[in-house]
Amino acid sequence: MTAKIRLYVDQPLSGGQAVALTRDQAHYLFGVMRLTVGGAVLLFNGRDGEWRADVAEAGKRGGVLVCAEQTRPLQLPPDLWLLFAPIKKARTDFIVEKATEMGAARILPVQTAFTNSERIRQDRLQAHAVEAAEQCGGTYVPEVGDLQKLDRVLSDWPEDRHLMFCDEAEAGAARALASATRGPWAILIGPEGGFSEAERARLAAMPQAHVVSLGPRILRADTAAVAALTLWQMQLGDWG
Ligand code: SAH
């Protein structure tokens, strides 16, 4: 039987390995999806690739799966971080989901001068990343960071990490990336209010920064995140 259900588990996966299910996972597999003993699912944990596992025990509050064979090796995304200023809840969820699908390795919410929201639910956002990875066939789940001040993040910025600074005030097209080199990168997307002049000046002065325009229209931050990830993946990522 072919396994269609993909589930993220936080346990080691290898041939013959038994995986104990949490109550929620058991409810999902046996209550919602009606799986029974002998049925198969696909498991991944972000480290050991994807495994087909068969149901050995199915209960209301728990169950056991046993790993049969590896169906995909671990595929790591490029070394790309997405920094974005959180916006409204549904749009922030969207950004995390899309960044996971598009192949970001880390997702870092940052608080900028004009950031509307001062708090995020990191655990909820991380759960969105897990769900997106389950759905898109990924074998890796990006870590979602806690909200940090952009100033602080830039103060500790790694010397060798390029920064694609998306700024709607930048005229012209995305040629800034045409001559860019591969390596560790990050994308920075601002909030609805855009960047302050002080932030712009600071970013422009960073040797790692590449100021990039995403075209002549002002995009909403969630659209801008997807557009920037697309552009970066085509030029410098794992699409080619
Ligand atoms: N301050 C703007 C809106 C900001 S849009 C205003 O006039 O209302 C939110 C973020 O999306 C921006 O900070 C920027 O990072 C990105 N963005 C949107 N449109 C863009 C474009 N055409 N080029 C580059 N970045 C863009």
Side-chain angles (χ1 to χ4, degrees):
M1 156 180 176
T2 43
K4 289 267 167 54
I5 304 167
R6 296 186 87 244
L7 199 64
Y8 171 86
V9 293
D10 188 18
Q11 292 170 62
L13 302 173
S14 62
Q17 172 79 46
V19 176
L21 298 172
T22 64
R23 196 189 173 114
D24 284 351
Q25 288 166 339
H27 172 72
Y28 172 68
L29 291 183
F30 312 132
V32 181
M33 302 308 287
R34 302 272 163 211
L35 220 63
T36 51
V37 170
V41 291
L42 296 171
L43 301 180
F44 67 104
N45 61 6
R47 301 182 298 272
D48 299 321
E50 181 190 80
W51 286 78
R52 200 197 82 220
D54 301 316
V55 180
E57 288 172 34
K60 273 208 157 56
R61 289 180 203 87
V64 177
L65 306 176
V66 176
C67 291
E69 55 170 348
Q70 194 185 44
T71 44
R72 273 167 195 250
L74 173 66
Q75 196 193 0
L76 294 174
D79 187 0
L80 174 67
W81 300 353
L82 174 69
L83 277 66
F84 75 99
I87 39 179
K88 288 198 197 83
K89 184 172 146 311
R91 291 180 186 276
T92 299
D93 292 351
F94 177 94
I95 290 177
V96 169
E97 181 181 302
K98 298 308 158 206
T100 304
E101 292 174 26
M102 297 285 296
R106 269 183 96 191
I107 301 173
L108 300 174
V110 290
Q111 196 174 344
T112 64
F114 300 148
T115 298
N116 334 52
S117 119
E118 315 235 305
R119 243 174 299 151
I120 55 156
R121 284 278 309 275
Q122 189 276 339
D123 56 337
R124 269 199 51 241
L125 293 179
Q126 186 68 68
H128 274 287
V130 166
E131 218 171 278
E134 284 174 344
Q135 279 176 23
C136 76
T139 49
Y140 173 86
V141 180
E143 172 211 338
V144 181
D146 266 321
L147 187 62
Q148 301 176 72
K149 287 204 162 38
L150 178 65
D151 271 348
R152 174 86 52 82
V153 175
L154 295 183
S155 299
D156 293 335
W157 196 255
E159 211 172 301
D160 64 343
R161 186 169 294 274
H162 299 280
L163 182 61
M164 174 177 171
F165 165 38
C166 299
D167 189 3
E168 70 280 0
E170 173 73 7
R175 54 192 142 60
L177 286 192
S179 57
T181 53
R182 288 175 188 259
W185 271 85
I187 292 172
L188 172 61
I189 302 290
E192 276 165 30
F195 292 100
S196 71
E197 282 314 314
E199 285 169 340
R200 278 208 173 89
R202 175 163 194 195
L203 284 156
M206 285 173 63
Q208 300 97 325
H210 305 247
V211 191
V212 172
S213 158
L214 299 171
R217 287 160 294 272
I218 294 179
L219 308 176
R220 296 188 85 132
D222 47 350
T223 316
V226 177
L229 285 158
T230 308
L231 203 60
W232 187 90
Q233 280 286 30
M234 280 195 65
Q235 293 271 347
L236 298 158
D238 63 11
W239 286 15

